[in-house]
Every structure is written in structure tokens, then in C-alpha cells.
Amino acid sequence: MKLYLLPKFLFCKLIVCVFTLILSKTLVAENKPDREEIIKLITSGINHWKQHAYDSAYVYLLESERRAVQAKDTQLIVVSLNNLGGLESSRANYKNGIECFQKSLKYNLNTNSSKLNTFLNISKAYRKMGDYESALSYLYKTKDIAERLQQNKELAESYNEFGIIKKLQRNYEEALSYYKESLKIARALDYKKGIVGALNNIGNVYKEQKNYSKSLLYFNEALNLKLELGDKKYLASAFLNVGEVQMKLNDFINAERSLKKALNFSKDSNNKELEITSSFLLGEMFIYKKNFSQSKLFLHQAYEKAELIGALDLQKEALLRLKNLYAAQNKGKEALAYYDKYISIKDSIFNTEIMQHMQEMETRYQTREKEQQIEVLNIEKEAKANESFYMKIVLGVFLFSLLPIGFFVKQRQKTRILKERVAASNRECTKLGMELHDSISGSLTYLCRSMEKESVGESFVDQLRQVSDEVRGISHQLNMTAIANQEFRDALSDSLQLDHFPEDIDLKIYVPDGFEIDDYEKKINLIRIVQELKTNSLKHGNASSIVISFSRLQNKVGLEYTDNGIGFDLKEAKKGNGLINIQERVELLSGKLDWQTSPGNGVSFHLTV
């Protein structure tokens, strides 16, 4: 009996197990998200995104990702994450966007073609963050894959992105080259959106270079294509570009027509920024036409809307034009009031940027400090391990070390004195810059107000206001703290006062992409050397052409400065304060210096630090 019952018991148990397994699979299948439901969630998220309902769009897309992971549907996981990344980037949450894009790459292991758009999106996010080095690294990956797979549409978009970055770095020739390559590919594909983008970008570069005739040709061609596409948002920006350039060419009849169309299309598409820009450009144009009532209407509308949405840059532009409006009507009191508001907002923007740079510098400093602490600990550890060995060496060379000690002490003392002298000079510059900003600039503003009350001529007040602007610029130029907290390219631009640089001087500045100097002293002293050289070229050298070039080779920084001035006798000039200051800063940086100059042969200055 026992032999018979045991198999029967086992058979029953087996039946129960099989039934339980089938039931559990059925329940799991019922709980598994349906693919169509996930697609509906993604579609809802995209639709809400298009309607600018960003929070609800985020909820839909996050849920679609969760369900796609649960369903183990790789394709829908990638689609959800890429849309989440795009949504976050459109809300300026670039770091979150990049995280979503990079997360999607983990599921994109099989095909390079599926990585193309993701790499391109990551590059765009880094570019909008201002991290051009990371943006370019992903952009090169995109271009390589697109070329290998002959994905020409993505290749055109890659070239366009290269152009955008080069334009932001003010490398206009390279930007034009990339844009034109993008345009060539887009035309071959009859890819109208790509053609329009490239035409617009080329027009903007020519506008930056003040070649308005060429700029208008490209903007008009872009406008005609946009009329075919019929997108109101794109039409608003197209008419705005055309109208602004027509205004620069003094074609006010067509400019008014174009800018009013831009204003109407921007209202229809609910694009506040384009609406404000169109309004203040119309206001500016009516100043030129001396239609002050119309100008006042458009400029006040622009300022009020910019204030409503909290756009400081747009407020600044509207206020500057309001100042010009009242100055054109000889209403000094009103012009001064708007100019004060303009300066206040301009300083607010400047201070915000400085604070951001200071926070970045603080982070960099803390990181370097931790690295230095770790390095010191490693050195101490190594020193203890080899203490006995080093003691024997020290005893062996002690007598021989007595001779050079005197030289090293003397050299160290010289370096310390030199460092203190240069540091004192920098402190004085900063103090002078602050005094100019807080005292003299304020006094000039008060003097302008006093002149207004005394009914002094408007032209004199305008000249005085221009002097006030220049004093404010010089104060920023001298302020060491402000310069140190800027990126090198911007610090160099401000220190040379490029906004006020003589127009008859041909100035060329070459700074490599991503060039930065983290060392505070090296950065300040290099910029001060360039300032001193520029002053000599303009004040004493009568130069009409100056070329400044920076380079980096491993850990070394190179500076080359040349001008076509009258040159000088180097032996005689070394007695002057200017060259003494340069020489002291070079010694402090332990730099290698090479001067080439003689009377009538300009100046060639090469420094490696």
C-alpha cells in the first residue's frame, strides 16, 4: 500500500504546482502594461509639451517610462527617456535632460543609428549650458556616425550645431564655413527646415559682421521658404530678422511693414519674447522717423511686457531706446530717469553674472584644495616610508648644499618682494576701479542731473553721459576681482575695452576653443601684460594693426603680440615704467620672454609661462 500511495501523493502535488504556475503566469500577464497604453501616455505627454503644459507632460512621460521598464519594452523605454530629456532641456533643466538622454543610451546598445539623435540632443544641451567642450565632443561622435551611415539629414544638423558653437565663440569664419556646408547638404536633400535654419544662421553671422546687404539676401530667402512652411512662430522670427536689417539699411518703409508683420505673427503664436523684440524695434524705428508718439506707444508696451515676464535683457533694451526717445525730444529729465533704470538693470545683470562666476571659481578652488590635500598626504606617506633612505642622502650632501643655500635664499627673497609689489599694484587697480565706480561715476550722474536743472544744452549732457559710460567701463577694467571671476575670453574682452576700442585700429584676437586659465595670478598677470602692450601700441607706437594670440602646449601657455607701429630701441625703453611692469610680471610667472623690435619695425612679443 505504501508503494502505491507515495506516487499518488507526488502526482497530486505535481498537479497543484503546475496549476499554481499557470495561474501566476496568467496574473502576471494581466498586470503587464499594455503597449498601446504606454504609447498613449507618450502621445499625451508630447501633446501637453507642445501646449506648454510642462508639468503634466512630465507626469505622462515619467509614467510611460515606468510602465515601459515594467513591460521590458526597450524601444518604448528609449522613446520615453528621449522625450523626457527633450522636455527637461526645453525647460532649461539641462542637467536633468542630459541624464535622461544618457540613460536612454544604455538601452541603445545595438545600433549606432538609434544613437544619432541622442548624441545630437546631448550636444545641444551642453551648448545651451555653455559647456562647449562637452558639446563638441558629442557633436564629433554624431558627425562620425552620420558620415559612416550616410545619414545626411543628421549630418546637416551636426554641421549647423558646429556653426552655432563657433558663432558663440565669435569665430565667424569657421561658423560660416559650417553653416554653408549644412546648407549644401540640406539643399541636396530638399530638407526645407534645414535649409531655413542654415540660411537664417548665415544671415545672422553677416549681421554680426555688419554686412547688412548680404545678411538681407539670406534672410529674405529664409522668409520665402518659411512662407511655404506656414508656421507662425517661424514667420514671426523671419519678418523680425528682415525688418531689423532693413532698418539698419535705412529702408524704413519696408522695415515698418516687416516689423509689424513680425509683431502680429508673434502675438498669434503667443511668443512673448518675439513680441517684445518686435515692439522695441518698431519704437526705435519711429525715433529715426521722428514719429515720437508712435515710438512711445511701442516702447512702453515692450518695457511693460518685458517687466511682466521678468526678462532683464529685454527690459534693458527697451529702456535704452526709451532714453533715446526722450533725448531725441530734448526731454532731459525723462531721458535721465530711463537711463538710470537702464544702468541699474545693466549692473544687476553684470552682478548676477559675477556671482555665478564666483560660485564656479569657489567650486574649482575647493576641488583644487582637496586635490592638494590628498597630494600632500601621499607625499607625507611616501616620505615616512623612505625616511631612513633620505636621511642618509641628506647627511651625504649636507656639506655640498651649504654653497647654493645663499643663492636660493636670495632668489626666494627677490621673488617674494616681486610678488608683493605686483600684488600691491593689483590691489591698487581694484581699489581705483571701485573708487571710479562708486565715487566718480556717481558724481558724473549727479552732475548730469544738475545740468538738466540748469537747462544746459542737450549735446553737452550727452557728452557728459558718454564720459560717465567710459568711466564705468574703466572701473570694470581695473577691478581685479571682477576680471578674475570671468571666463578668460570675457575677461580679456572687458580688460581691453573692446566696446570702446578705436575703430581705425585693425585688432585681431585669437583664443583657442575652450581656452581657460584657472590659476588666478597667472590669469591676472597675463591680462595686465596684454593691457600694457596695447597701451604702448596705441599711445607710443602709433600702430594701426594689432594681433594678439594665445596658445596652449601641455601645461604651458603661450602669448604672442605683434603690432605694425614705429617700434623702439629696447635698451632705452627698458628704463620706462611700462616695460618694467611687464618684465616684473614675466619674472613673477617664471616665464620665457622674447622681444623683437627696433625703430621703424613694429613690435613682436612672445611669452611662454
Side-chain angles (χ1 to χ4, degrees):
M1 283 296 288
K2 288 182 182 179
L3 292 172
Y4 174 77
L5 289 172
L6 186 59
K8 187 177 181 180
F9 171 75
L10 288 172
F11 178 76
C12 292
K13 190 172 182 180
L14 182 62
I15 293 294
V16 171
C17 290
V18 170
F19 177 77
T20 304
L21 184 62
I22 293 170
L23 181 63
S24 64
K25 284 188 174 182
T26 304
L27 290 171
V28 169
E30 288 177 355
N31 291 329
K32 187 176 180 179
D34 184 64
R35 201 169 199 271
E36 290 184 4
E37 289 179 6
I38 300 171
I39 293 171
K40 285 180 181 177
L41 285 168
I42 294 171
T43 305
S44 297
I46 293 170
N47 289 335
H48 279 74
W49 178 8
K50 288 179 179 177
Q51 295 166 11
H52 304 291
Y54 298 122
D55 292 336
S56 55
Y58 182 80
V59 171
Y60 279 115
L61 292 171
L62 196 64
E63 180 63 14
S64 72
E65 184 218 348
R66 187 187 70 79
R67 293 198 186 188
V69 170
Q70 190 178 348
K72 297 181 180 179
D73 191 321
T74 304
Q75 184 184 10
L76 292 184
I77 293 171
V78 170
V79 172
S80 299
L81 285 169
N82 278 333
N83 278 295
L84 271 171
L87 173 65
E88 289 293 79
S89 293
S90 69
R91 296 201 291 181
N93 297 330
Y94 302 119
K95 287 185 179 179
N96 293 344
I98 290 168
E99 285 177 9
C100 291
F101 290 135
Q102 289 177 335
K103 191 176 177 182
S104 79
L105 287 173
K106 294 177 183 178
Y107 296 93
N108 256 338
L109 299 175
N110 296 327
T111 59
N112 280 323
S113 60
S114 59
K115 294 180 182 179
L116 265 176
N117 286 326
T118 306
F119 281 145
L120 190 59
N121 287 330
I122 293 173
S123 174
K124 288 178 181 178
Y126 274 122
R127 184 251 297 167
K128 290 173 183 176
M129 287 174 65
D131 186 350
Y132 300 141
E133 185 177 351
S134 298
L136 287 169
S137 69
Y138 277 95
L139 206 49
Y140 281 118
K141 292 178 184 178
T142 309
K143 184 176 79 71
D144 290 344
I145 296 172
E147 286 177 337
R148 197 160 60 246
L149 300 178
Q150 295 184 340
Q151 299 281 351
N152 290 331
K153 183 178 174 182
E154 286 77 8
L155 185 60
E157 291 181 1
S158 299
Y159 279 122
N160 195 57
E161 269 297 308
F162 275 116
I164 291 171
I165 293 172
K166 294 300 178 183
K167 180 176 176 291
L168 288 168
Q169 294 174 328
R170 298 181 184 179
N171 190 337
Y172 297 124
E173 294 307 316
E174 279 196 55
L176 280 173
S177 175
Y178 280 118
Y179 286 145
K180 287 179 179 179
E181 189 63 32
S182 176
L183 179 61
K184 179 181 174 183
I185 298 170
R187 285 193 196 280
L189 295 171
D190 195 28
Y191 174 38
K192 289 186 178 178
K193 189 177 178 181
I195 296 170
V196 165
L199 289 169
N200 247 345
N201 289 328
I202 294 170
N204 276 318
V205 172
Y206 282 125
K207 186 177 74 172
E208 291 266 347
Q209 294 179 317
K210 298 183 180 180
N211 190 340
Y212 300 122
S213 297
K214 267 194 174 180
S215 177
L216 187 59
L217 286 174
Y218 284 97
F219 281 149
N220 270 325
E221 189 178 348
L223 173 59
N224 292 330
L225 280 173
K226 286 181 179 181
L227 285 167
E228 290 180 30
L229 295 172
D231 189 300
K232 290 183 179 180
K233 181 181 176 182
Y234 289 129
L235 282 174
S237 62
F239 278 113
L240 183 67
N241 287 334
V242 170
E244 185 179 3
V245 175
Q246 286 170 337
M247 192 169 68
K248 297 289 186 184
L249 293 167
N250 296 324
D251 183 3
F252 296 127
I253 294 173
N254 286 319
E256 181 178 351
R257 188 181 298 119
S258 299
L259 290 173
K260 282 185 175 178
K261 285 182 180 179
L263 181 59
N264 291 332
F265 279 118
S266 61
K267 284 179 179 178
D268 290 343
S269 59
N270 197 29
N271 190 316
K272 300 295 183 188
E273 290 185 3
L274 287 179
E275 184 182 345
I276 293 164
T277 306
S278 302
S279 294
F280 69 61
L281 285 176
L282 276 165
E284 182 179 1
M285 187 200 64
F286 282 118
I287 294 174
Y288 292 132
K289 295 177 72 174
K290 299 191 182 300
N291 189 340
F292 300 129
S293 59
Q294 281 290 299
S295 177
K296 181 179 177 181
L297 177 67
F298 283 110
L299 289 177
H300 277 287
Q301 285 178 356
Y303 176 62
E304 287 165 7
K305 288 178 182 177
E307 197 173 28
L308 188 64
I309 67 172
L312 289 180
D313 281 327
L314 295 175
Q315 288 179 52
K316 184 187 74 168
E317 295 299 325
L319 285 168
L320 181 62
R321 288 161 175 83
L322 278 165
K323 186 272 290 185
N324 293 338
L325 167 65
Y326 288 105
Q329 299 175 80
N330 293 321
K331 294 181 179 179
K333 185 177 180 181
E334 291 87 344
L336 187 59
Y338 281 111
Y339 188 79
D340 285 341
K341 285 184 180 180
Y342 165 78
I343 290 296
S344 176
I345 288 180
K346 187 177 179 183
D347 285 348
S348 177
I349 293 170
F350 178 78
N351 291 333
T352 301
E353 291 172 350
I354 288 297
M355 286 299 297
Q356 290 173 348
H357 287 305
M358 287 179 69
Q359 289 171 0
E360 291 173 5
M361 291 288 288
E362 178 66 22
T363 303
R364 290 178 190 172
Y365 172 76
Q366 289 175 356
T367 304
R368 286 200 303 271
E369 192 175 35
K370 288 178 182 177
E371 290 173 350
Q372 288 171 355
Q373 289 173 355
I374 293 169
E375 188 177 350
V376 168
L377 289 172
N378 288 334
I379 291 171
E380 289 178 354
K381 184 178 179 181
E382 186 178 350
K384 287 179 181 179
N386 300 293
E387 187 175 355
S388 59
F389 175 74
Y390 286 123
M391 283 299 295
K392 292 176 183 178
I393 293 176
V394 168
L395 289 172
V397 301
F398 175 76
L399 293 175
F400 296 96
S401 66
L402 292 176
L403 292 174
I405 283 176
F407 170 79
F408 284 122
V409 168
K410 186 177 180 181
Q411 189 66 26
R412 188 174 179 181
Q413 185 178 11
K414 180 183 176 182
T415 303
R416 181 179 59 80
I417 293 169
L418 191 59
K419 191 173 182 179
E420 287 175 357
R421 187 185 303 166
V422 172
S425 173
N426 289 340
R427 286 195 299 271
E428 284 301 312
C429 285
T430 300
K431 183 179 177 182
L432 181 57
M434 293 172 69
E435 285 293 327
L436 282 170
H437 183 276
D438 297 335
S439 178
I440 297 176
S441 181
S443 299
L444 283 170
T445 302
Y446 175 79
L447 187 58
C448 285
R449 290 198 179 106
S450 300
M451 294 295 182
E452 290 294 339
K453 291 177 182 178
E454 297 296 329
S455 301
V456 176
E458 189 66 22
S459 61
F460 177 80
V461 175
D462 281 345
Q463 290 176 12
L464 193 59
R465 181 63 68 186
Q466 186 178 357
V467 172
S468 177
D469 274 349
E470 290 177 358
V471 168
R472 189 177 294 273
I474 293 168
S475 73
H476 288 316
Q477 174 193 7
L478 291 172
N479 193 319
M480 294 288 94
T481 305
I483 290 174
N485 289 324
Q486 289 179 290
E487 292 181 1
F488 184 82
R489 188 185 295 270
D490 294 332
L492 183 65
S493 175
D494 286 353
S495 65
L496 295 178
Q497 286 191 289
L498 296 186
D499 291 339
H500 300 287
F501 206 87
E503 293 183 357
D504 58 337
I505 304 298
D506 181 21
L507 174 66
K508 291 184 175 64
I509 300 176
Y510 300 99
V511 181
D513 294 342
F515 184 87
E516 191 52 64
I517 300 175
D518 292 329
D519 187 293
Y520 174 91
E521 288 187 353
K522 185 183 287 187
K523 181 177 182 178
I524 291 298
N525 284 303
L526 277 172
I527 286 175
R528 284 298 182 215
I529 288 170
V530 174
Q531 284 179 317
E532 197 76 55
L533 291 167
K534 180 220 43 171
T535 300
N536 287 338
S537 294
L538 298 183
K539 188 176 179 181
H540 306 296
N542 296 326
S544 61
S545 174
I546 297 173
V547 179
I548 303 169
S549 178
F550 284 89
S551 61
R552 185 181 290 281
L553 181 63
Q554 296 177 343
N555 295 326
K556 299 286 186 180
V557 173
L559 163 63
E560 288 190 27
Y561 180 103
T562 59
D563 71 28
N564 66 346
I566 61 175
F568 53 87
D569 186 336
L570 193 58
K571 292 180 180 178
E572 290 295 321
K574 281 184 177 179
K575 300 174 184 177
N577 289 332
L579 263 67
I580 290 173
N581 290 337
I582 291 173
Q583 190 65 43
E584 287 183 346
R585 292 181 188 277
V586 170
E587 288 181 18
L588 181 62
L589 295 172
S590 302
K592 184 179 179 182
L593 175 61
D594 180 32
W595 277 100
Q596 295 291 330
T597 184
S598 61
N601 292 315
V603 170
S604 177
F605 174 96
H606 179 77
L607 172 64
T608 305
V609 295

